[in-house]
Amino acid sequence: MKKIFLIIAALTITVSCEKEIDLDLENQSGKIVIEGNITDKAGPYIVKITKSVSFTSLNEYPAVEGAQVTLKDDAGHSEILQYIGGGNYRTSAITGEPGRTYTLTVKAEGNEYVAQSTMPQPVAFEGLMQDSFVVAGETSYTLLPVFTDPPALGNRYLFSFTVNNNPKKFFSEFSDNVNNGMLNQRPLLLPNDDSDPGDIKVVPGDIIYVEMQCIDNQVYTFYSALLQLSGSGPGGGITPANPPSNISNGALGYFSAHTSEKLSAVIQ
């Protein structure tokens, strides 16, 4: 068994909890892993396809070459993505538009995988407000994303952030089940543990780069499951499960059509 920051081998996102989790997913070795995004910002957009590996192996995930990857929307636009190496397939023409439903089809190694995602309408990302608290003499920092949830129930959000130039990405998922139609009151907890190599402790002067995504319910379920799995049991626990993918035919990963806004803040 191996400590990792990924629920799914080969998926290039990292879990936002600040503890590592133990997973035993050797039986998932060799499965297709698909990570696809389309946003309301200008493309091109990338779909990454790799194979999962045993966690007793090196963290080198084989790229899937020779796949046929098609992305289309519900307005009749469609294109076949171009392979650019490293398991990455790139769009050239299709554009992301709120309200549209997008279908991703991947034909690889004799199998077909299909996913759909509907891009929500954007919600304005108005700002970031800093706060802090002290526990046992240690100061921890938070950032409150400032936005007002629309009146209709059912909005889902994903916030991802990085610290300075560190590539490690943290994320939190929000829903409006509690504060529907209200000004957001839920902060992002910034990492405060540098006890192990590669960990991060936020201090004054650090720059926090935050992306706000409006996501559909299936993508929200995927990320929500990631956080629940990472918090299961003392010290993270052990789970044999992967979060529920919105991709058919047993593929790991996700496909997300979402809006995107980015802001940054310097910790004072």
Side-chain angles (χ1 to χ4, degrees), residues 11 54 63 99 102 156 267:
L11 195 60
S54 166
Y102 295 85
R156 303 289 184 260
I267 299 300

Side-chain angles (χ1 to χ4, degrees), residues 215-250:
I215 58 177
D216 70 13
N217 192 62
Q218 284 187 304
V219 175
Y220 171 83
T221 299
F222 175 87
Y223 280 98
S224 181
L226 277 179
L227 292 179
Q228 290 176 17
L229 291 171
S230 66
S232 59
I238 299 173
T239 173
N242 282 291
S245 173
N246 62 347
I247 306 172
S248 71
N249 205 17

Side-chain angles (χ1 to χ4, degrees), residues 45-109:
Y45 313 107
I46 299 294
V47 175
K48 186 176 184 68
I49 309 175
T50 55
K51 300 289 284 292
S52 60
V53 296
S54 166
F55 289 140
T56 59
S57 304
L58 295 174
N59 290 338
E60 297 176 358
Y61 310 119
V64 174
E65 302 178 357
Q68 180 177 308
V69 182
T70 304
L71 184 59
K72 66 179 182 180
D73 64 20
D74 56 2
H77 305 106
S78 178
E79 73 167 291
I80 297 175
L81 279 63
Q82 177 186 6
Y83 185 63
I84 58 173
N88 295 298
Y89 296 78
R90 183 177 62 191
T91 65
S92 59
I94 199 166
T95 59
E97 182 179 342
R100 295 266 181 233
T101 296
Y102 295 85
T103 301
L104 175 69
T105 303
V106 174
K107 295 181 180 178
E109 301 182 345

